[in-house]
Amino acid sequence: MSQSGAVVSQDCITAYNDLKLAKKYKFIIFKLSDDYKEIVIEEQSNDKDWDNFREKLINATSKSKSGAIGKGPRYAVYDFEYNLASGDGIRNKITFIAWSPDDAGVHPKMIYASSKEALKRSLTGIAHELQANDSDDIEYDSIVKTVSKGLAG
């Protein structure tokens, strides 16, 4: 359990294992429940279109303490697949993305920040972790370059 008290839903772990072991999904987006007590799945998909995934993060919303709806943080795991520039084949790297837009509310950002480790500890086998705070941080080419350590072709 994290400092915020948010617990990880068993569904999150099951879906992550389906992504990792069965390759059932390309990505999973996690969010905190409306009462901020549990980390739950917002969406799981096998859609390989990065722009669709990116839009889901950019358009995510959260409720503030006052009940107002605004930009919202999310957690996501994405199974990156890339070709090595050397021609040595395809590699996969499961990447954890902590999306916390600069213009999100302070309360949601604080709870997401304090709950992140609880989720990460529950998901074994993550190759990379990225912190993203604006849309430029989740451009496909820059992320693949980071994930592949510059070896993607």
Side-chain angles (χ1 to χ4, degrees):
M1 187 179 289
S2 69
Q3 292 172 327
S4 72
V7 296
V8 179
S9 159
Q10 183 59 45
D11 291 345
C12 296
I13 298 163
T14 302
Y16 174 75
N17 286 331
D18 285 344
L19 177 146
K20 182 175 84 169
L21 304 172
K23 302 293 182 193
K24 192 171 174 182
Y25 307 115
K26 186 69 176 170
F27 67 83
I28 304 168
I29 298 174
F30 305 96
K31 69 174 196 161
L32 284 163
S33 58
D34 289 341
D35 62 5
Y36 291 106
K37 292 190 183 329
E38 187 176 29
I39 299 170
V40 297
I41 294 171
E42 181 171 61
E43 183 173 348
Q44 52 205 13
S45 176
N46 58 7
D47 182 352
K48 292 179 167 46
D49 187 326
W50 173 262
D51 290 329
N52 290 343
F53 167 76
R54 186 174 177 269
E55 285 300 310
K56 291 174 192 308
L57 291 182
I58 291 171
N59 295 320
T61 60
S62 288
K63 271 188 197 167
S64 68
K65 272 185 173 175
S66 67
I69 304 285
K71 296 256 182 174
R74 289 295 185 274
Y75 311 112
V77 287
Y78 194 94
D79 188 2
F80 277 95
E81 189 174 278
Y82 57 90
N83 288 303
L84 291 172
S86 62
D88 288 338
I90 296 172
R91 298 290 186 270
N92 284 72
K93 298 282 183 196
I94 297 174
T95 303
F96 181 89
I97 300 169
W99 170 249
S100 187
D102 290 330
D103 51 355
V106 173
H107 181 246
K109 283 169 61 168
M110 285 176 22
I111 295 178
Y112 271 83
S114 66
S115 300
K116 179 175 81 171
E117 288 305 316
L119 179 59
K120 277 184 37 198
R121 274 195 306 274
S122 301
L123 310 177
T124 56
I126 291 173
H128 289 279
E129 178 187 344
L130 299 169
Q131 176 67 46
N133 300 96
D134 68 41
S135 58
D136 290 345
D137 293 342
I138 50 176
E139 290 289 344
Y140 183 79
D141 291 341
S142 63
I143 292 181
V144 167
K145 191 173 188 178
T146 301
V147 168
S148 70
K149 297 185 171 91
L151 300 175

